[in-house]
Amino acid sequence: MTTLSPATVLAGSARRHADTVAVVDGRVRVTYAELWWEARCYGTGLRAAGVRAGDTVALLAPNVVDFPRVYYAALAAGAHPVPIGAPTSPQTVHLLRGARLLVCHTSQLAAGQRVSARVGVPLVTVGPTRGPSGVPRLEDLSDPAPGGTAADPDTDTDPGGRSATDPADGDVVLSCLPLGGRFGQDVALTGTFAAGATLVLLGRFTGPAALELMLREEVTVFHGTSAMYAALLDAARGRQTLPRLRRCVSRTPLPPALGQPFTTTFATVVTVAEEKSRYGGGRRQRWRCRHRR
């Protein structure tokens, strides 16, 4: 059986849905073709920084468009992207000790510099310029004309294993899950990009902000936690216009006191994502969406 790189998820959608908007981040709108091109450009920057196939690339970034750019850049370069959460946690320090490079969004630069110095892993930044810092920028290392990769869209096949009820072409997904978590990566990034849908990012979640964004971007699918569903329900009280959600996904079942009012208010059903083993034996879990019709 041929093993395909996870980068083929984005590469395939870049071929099949080239002009579809892949990511909405505030005023930034990036198509699938643009996102795959930018990821390959960043991939050349990672290689220029010393990353080789099989290396680990740590990523410290919030829910912004640079997250998928770097995430898939590492995959396109043959490396393993490892998003990190709290930079000072023992688990983060342990993960970084085996990393070849730490890519840090400029909004997290202070924390990135501290953990980089503590662990001794090289640091590069990505994102808007925050003034001189002496840290190399991934954008400056990248080649604006990247060559082909093993996951070139022209040779990619449609990634299998998706449920027929996962997000579909034409869906607009608002995922407020942290992309740095496994649940966010599998459900938001992989699930949305494999379907050729549009992923809308919200940097800081609040119920009112999420509702306004849903209406503005005509969101049809929402991913969130129980607390987020409670905040949406609270923000919906007294509003005349609510988004038309086709599907909602939660990591855990909502309590009846929350789930029933939410489904009534938004005329939708909240379903639970299941955790499936990637390689059997209960090792290396990944999240998959399974929805009731």
Side-chain angles (χ1 to χ4, degrees):
M1 179 181 294
T2 301
T3 301
L4 297 178
S5 165
T8 57
V9 171
L10 179 57
S13 288
R15 175 173 57 84
R16 295 187 298 273
H17 312 283
D19 297 327
T20 299
V21 175
V23 180
V24 176
D25 179 13
R27 296 182 179 180
V28 178
R29 310 178 79 86
V30 181
T31 67
Y32 275 99
E34 292 168 340
L35 183 60
W36 177 235
W37 181 266
E38 292 164 352
R40 288 190 291 165
C41 289
Y42 280 13
T44 65
L46 294 177
R47 288 190 287 269
V51 173
R52 296 296 179 262
D55 286 343
T56 296
V57 175
L59 172 59
L60 176 59
N63 280 20
V64 294
V65 67
D66 280 310
F67 188 104
R69 284 170 177 158
V70 177
Y71 185 89
Y72 283 97
L75 291 172
H80 306 291
V82 178
I84 60 176
T88 58
S89 71
Q91 182 182 13
T92 295
V93 172
H94 175 73
L95 289 173
L96 281 173
R97 292 193 189 282
R100 173 72 66 179
L101 188 70
L102 170 60
V103 182
C104 177
H105 192 263
T106 48
S107 65
Q108 312 289 320
L109 181 56
Q113 286 177 312
R114 288 194 299 270
V115 72
S116 172
R118 177 179 176 182
V119 180
V121 61
L123 175 69
V124 300
T125 65
V126 68
T129 304
R130 300 283 178 170
S133 64
V135 180
R137 288 177 53 81
L138 183 58
E139 293 90 339
D140 296 336
L141 299 173
S142 300
D143 187 344
T149 70
D152 189 88
D154 292 334
T155 60
D156 165 56
T157 58
D158 189 14
R162 294 192 296 112
S163 167
T165 52
D166 278 343
D169 181 14
D171 269 332
V172 180
V173 181
L174 174 60
S175 183
C176 297
L177 304 166
L179 296 180
R182 175 60 63 190
F183 187 49
Q185 289 166 47
D186 286 337
V187 175
L189 282 184
T190 304
T192 302
F193 288 171
T198 298
L199 179 64
V200 179
L201 299 177
L202 178 60
R204 183 177 179 274
F205 176 86
T206 65
L211 286 182
E212 292 296 336
L213 187 57
M214 287 178 181
L215 290 170
R216 183 167 69 248
E217 298 296 338
E218 298 182 349
V219 168
T220 58
V221 179
F222 176 72
H223 302 154
T225 64
S226 296
M228 293 175 180
Y229 283 103
L232 286 176
L233 184 60
D234 185 64
R237 293 191 175 94
R239 293 181 65 105
Q240 297 298 317
T241 304
L242 292 174
R244 296 181 178 180
L245 298 174
R246 190 171 68 85
R247 179 182 306 124
C248 293
V249 180
S250 175
R251 180 172 182 175
T252 57
L254 301 184
L258 172 60
Q260 293 175 359
F262 187 91
T263 57
T264 300
T265 301
F266 287 90
T268 187
V269 175
V270 181
T271 54
V272 181
E274 295 179 352
E275 196 172 14
K276 297 291 185 181
S277 175
R278 288 183 171 183
Y279 304 115
R283 300 179 60 191
R284 292 203 60 185
Q285 303 294 310
R286 69 166 298 179
W287 290 93
R288 290 283 309 284
C289 291
R290 296 293 185 188
H291 310 289
R292 294 189 302 271
R293 287 190 180 276

